[in-house]
Amino acid sequence: MTILASTEHYNWVERLEVHSPFREGAIGELRHYLMCGLSRSLPHRYGGNIEIDDVVQVALVRILASLDTFRARSRFTTWAMAIATRVAISELRRRHYRDVSLSQSSDGGHFQISVIDPASSVEEEAGRRRVLQLLQQLINECLSEKQRLAIQGLLVGLPIEEIASRLQSNRNATYKLVHDAKLRIRRGFEALGMTGDDILADIAKRNP
Amino acid sequence: MNITSSQALDLLASICIAVPDALGCDGCFALIPAFADAQTSRDDLSLLLQAVQIHLSQCACCRYEYETLRESMLAAEASYRDP
C-alpha cells in the first residue's frame, strides 16, 4: 500500500488538534471542502432529500473524534470525505427505505416466490420456472431463518445496511450473513449439477 | 412473495458471481480512501486494495458509497482548482 510521501495529511491532523491555534481555520477549510463535494454528489442520490449543512456538521464531529484513527494510508481529505459520504448515504438510505418492511414479505418463515411479469416465450417460461423452483427449494432447505429474511430484503431491493437495521444487526455482520447464504445457494445449485452459467442462461433466455 | 423477473435475475446473478470475500464492509470502509486515491492516481493496486475491488464487486451498498465518494472528491478538487 502506498503511504503518501506528501506531508499534506500531517498538516491537516496537526491543524485540527484540540490545542492547535489553527484549528478553527482548518475546520472551516475542511467544512468548505466537504460542502463542495457533497453538494454536487448528493442531490441525485436517493432523491437527495437532505440538508448538506447538517450532514457536514455531523461528519465534522465524527472526523474530529476519529483523528487518532487516521493512518495516513490515503490523503487526509479523501479519508474525511469517505466519512462524510458514509454519514450522508446512511441517512439518505434510512429516509428512503423507512416505509419498507421485511416482515410484510414474510410468510410464516416459509419462502415462496413467484415472478409476476410474463415471460416472452414458452422456452423462457420453462427455464425460469425451473430455476426459481430450485432457488426457492434451496432457500428453504439450506438457509437459516435469518438468512431467509435477509434474502427477502434483497429481493425487495433493500440495501444491506437497511436489512441490518431491520434484523437489529450491523452492516458488516449482515453482509457476511447474506454472502454466506449466496455461497450456500450456489453450492446447492452445483450439487444439483447446475453451474452459474447454466443458471443465468436459464433465467435470461429472453430477447435472443 | 411476488417479484419481477429482473429482481430474480439480480439475485441469481449475485449468487453466481459470489466469491470468498476477506474484507466485509468494515474492512472495505477502512481501505476505501486508499483505494480511491490509488484509482485517482492510476496506481497499480496492491493485494490489499485488490481485496477492496473484490468486495465492491459483490456489495452494492459499499459500491454506491464509493461512487458517491468519487464524485464528491472530483467535485471538491475541481472547486479547489477553480474557486
Side-chain angles (χ1 to χ4, degrees):
Chain A
M1 175 174 307
T2 305
I3 302 292
L4 295 180
S6 155
T7 56
E8 180 258 10
H9 45 270
Y10 294 116
N11 291 339
W12 273 108
V13 173
E14 285 174 12
R15 289 163 61 212
L16 287 167
E17 281 174 349
V18 173
H19 300 296
S20 165
F22 308 108
R23 181 176 161 93
E24 287 310 310
I27 290 174
E29 200 178 331
L30 186 56
R31 183 194 310 275
H32 177 68
Y33 185 85
L34 298 176
M35 286 291 295
C36 286
L38 295 177
S39 60
R40 177 69 68 88
S41 64
L42 293 185
H44 51 279
R45 306 277 172 184
Y46 295 116
N49 178 25
I50 200 164
E51 289 293 328
I52 311 281
D53 281 345
D54 295 345
V55 169
V56 169
Q57 188 56 35
V58 172
L60 279 171
V61 170
R62 200 165 298 180
I63 290 163
L64 293 173
S66 311
L67 277 183
D68 61 344
T69 68
F70 177 63
R71 296 285 175 260
R73 291 167 169 161
S74 67
R75 293 184 306 161
F76 180 85
T77 47
T78 307
W79 176 80
M81 191 67 88
I83 292 175
T85 303
R86 169 65 65 94
V87 167
I89 295 294
S90 293
E91 179 58 21
L92 281 165
R93 276 192 187 118
R94 193 185 64 74
R95 295 180 186 190
H96 188 78
Y97 292 103
R98 65 184 156 204
D99 296 328
V100 181
S101 160
L102 265 187
S103 57
Q104 282 174 356
S105 53
S106 179
D107 180 20
H110 184 74
F111 195 88
Q112 193 163 11
I113 48 179
S114 53
V115 173
I116 52 175
D117 49 331
S120 60
S121 68
V122 175
E123 185 192 28
E124 181 197 330
E125 181 61 36
R128 196 165 76 174
R129 188 180 302 134
R130 172 168 164 254
V131 171
L132 290 178
Q133 279 174 350
L134 287 176
L135 175 65
Q136 186 173 294
Q137 178 189 333
L138 291 169
I139 288 173
N140 282 314
E141 291 176 0
C142 302
L143 304 188
S144 67
E145 171 63 17
K146 213 168 184 180
Q147 284 177 319
R148 278 195 290 274
L149 272 173
I151 291 290
Q152 282 182 5
L154 281 189
L155 277 170
V156 297
L158 282 174
I160 291 286
E161 190 172 25
E162 289 303 302
I163 296 172
S165 80
R166 283 151 183 78
L167 294 178
Q168 297 181 319
S169 180
N170 64 60
R171 174 166 162 176
N172 197 55
T174 303
Y175 172 79
K176 289 183 175 178
L177 181 85
V178 168
H179 193 65
D180 178 58
K182 289 177 181 175
L183 292 174
R184 283 190 197 191
I185 293 169
R186 201 176 68 190
R187 283 196 294 269
F189 273 117
E190 286 166 355
L192 295 167
M194 291 187 78
T195 66
D197 288 345
D198 295 334
I199 297 164
L200 290 176
D202 268 0
I203 195 79
K205 276 179 187 158
R206 56 184 154 173
N207 304 321
Chain B
M1 63 187 297
N2 293 329
I3 57 172
T4 64
S5 54
S6 94
Q7 286 172 308
L9 186 59
D10 286 348
L11 176 63
L12 285 163
S14 71
I15 289 168
C16 293
I17 64 160
V19 292
D21 179 352
L23 281 187
C25 297
D26 287 352
C28 178
F29 185 64
L31 293 171
I32 206 74
F35 181 81
D37 280 348
Q39 293 285 74
T40 301
S41 55
R42 300 175 191 276
D43 287 350
D44 289 338
L45 296 180
S46 64
L47 278 179
L48 201 53
L49 294 187
Q50 287 173 33
V52 174
Q53 206 161 29
I54 290 169
H55 180 77
L56 291 179
S57 71
Q58 302 187 87
C59 179
C61 234
C62 289
R63 193 164 59 245
Y64 193 78
E65 285 175 18
Y66 175 64
E67 287 163 2
T68 311
L69 168 63
R70 288 276 297 159
E71 189 178 356
S72 303
M73 286 168 60
L74 291 172
E77 296 295 332
S79 157
Y80 262 54
R81 278 196 306 272
D82 308 308

